[in-house]
Each structure stands twice: as structure tokens, then as C-alpha cells.
Amino acid sequence: RTDGNLLRRLLRIYGYYDGEVVQTIGAVEPGGDMAASPAVRFDISPGARYKFGAIELGDLPTTGNDYPALRTAFGIQSGDPLDNDRIVASQSRLDTALGESGYAFAKLGEPDLVADHLREEGDLSLPVVNGGRYRFSGVVSNLPDFLPGKHLESIARFDTGDLYRRSQVDDLRKAIIATGLVSSVSLTPRQVAPPQGEVPGEVALDVSLTKAP
């Protein structure tokens, strides 16, 4: 029964929502060896593989000139064969692309897939809030007498005015830890000025440090 349920789940993961799995257990023949193992059989009828139907990505279309690259990063198009694993991978790629394109406060919700058995399609909705595009405006330390913000800016791989990139924030976190002077560090983006149309806003990095022993 567990194997049968797993087979049904796998069919749905890869878009076979009308698939059927019939399991039978062969009985021991009269006069046969009662110690013999029974034969288990699974008859699988996958049916048609559903395709992606409508795809909604929240306010991603409002990203202007960045939209084509961000949409390409997500990848899934209407008419593609339905694949739940691909949804997870596409969500991760889009999150990375937003973080590397200046969207410091972008948020992605949980995807929702609704299967339509009449159309043999699945409509996908992924809540996306892009949060606007930003540039770095500086680094602020919670321990300015120990490691001031200006010093932290000097070891960062970005300059004031550069487009926000999440990977560069992670890189600065690693560089601060590598000094051996702190036992923990957290970096939190904070809006300094909001975006104005196509002009990116400004975001500062608030750095919370704990001195090492």
C-alpha cells in the first residue's frame, strides 16, 4: 500500500493527474508451498501528462527593463510539461536573480498549482513582491568604536552607489568573520531613500557585531 501511494504521488509530481495505479497480490496456488512469497503486481496507467496553463508571478511584470531577464530566470512557460520539482527550482532561481538585480526587499510566497482536469493543464500562481530596486548607500556598525562602518566599507567588494547584490552582502559577512575579531555578525538592509520611478532607491547595511573572546 505504501509503494502504491508513492507511485501515485510520483505520477502527480510529474503532471500525470489522471494516472491510475492498481495493485494486486497473487495468492498461493492450491497445494503449493505456503512458505512461498506472494507476487505483488502494480498496473500503472499514467494517462495524459498535464501542461502548465496560466502563470501568475505577482508584481514581477512591474520591474520594467529587468522583467525579461527575471522572467527568463524563472523559466517556466505556459505549455511546458507540468513538473512540480521544476517549480521549486524555478522559484529558487527567481529569488536569486532578484537578489542579484538590486531588489533588496523582494519576497516570494509559496507557489500554488491548480489542476484543471477538463483542459489537462495546471495553472501556477507564485506570489512575488519585488519591493523596488536599490543601490548601496553605506555600512552602519553597531560597534563604531570597535569596527566602524567606514572600515567595514573598505573591506567590502562594493562601493557606495553600486547596485545592491545579495551575493556581495554575503561576501562581506564572510570577510568580517574571517578577521577573527567577531564571533557572530548579521547584516540587515535598511531603506534610506525609496525608488523614484526608474531611479533606484538607497539602502544601507546595518551590521550587528558580537566581539570574539
Side-chain angles (χ1 to χ4, degrees), residues 32-163:
D33 183 3
M34 295 300 294
S37 298
V40 182
R41 175 185 175 91
F42 294 97
D43 289 294
I44 302 173
S45 176
R49 187 178 189 183
Y50 284 30
K51 299 181 183 299
F52 284 104
I55 299 176
E56 297 290 338
L57 297 174
D59 68 3
L60 191 68
T62 66
T63 53
N65 293 333
D66 292 329
Y67 177 71
L70 294 171
R71 186 62 181 83
T72 298
F74 182 72
I76 297 175
Q77 300 289 342
S78 298
D80 289 350
L82 200 150
D83 185 334
N84 282 266
D85 287 342
R86 189 178 173 195
I87 294 174
V88 176
S90 295
Q91 181 181 6
S92 177
R93 286 198 304 271
L94 178 57
D95 181 61
T96 298
L98 284 164
E100 292 298 286
S101 302
Y103 296 88
F105 305 104
K107 294 182 180 180
L108 276 67
E110 290 299 317
D112 183 46
L113 182 67
V114 179
D116 187 314
H117 295 271
L118 184 62
R119 292 187 285 122
E120 295 184 343
E121 291 182 341
D123 296 329
L124 175 63
S125 175
L126 176 63
V128 178
V129 178
N130 69 68
R133 201 161 177 247
Y134 289 83
R135 297 186 182 277
F136 288 113
S137 71
V139 178
V140 180
S141 171
N142 70 320
L143 298 176
D145 295 331
F146 176 60
L147 281 178
K150 289 298 182 182
H151 176 69
L152 298 178
E153 289 179 17
S154 71
I155 64 175
R157 293 190 178 181
F158 58 83
D159 296 318
T160 298
D162 287 351
L163 192 66

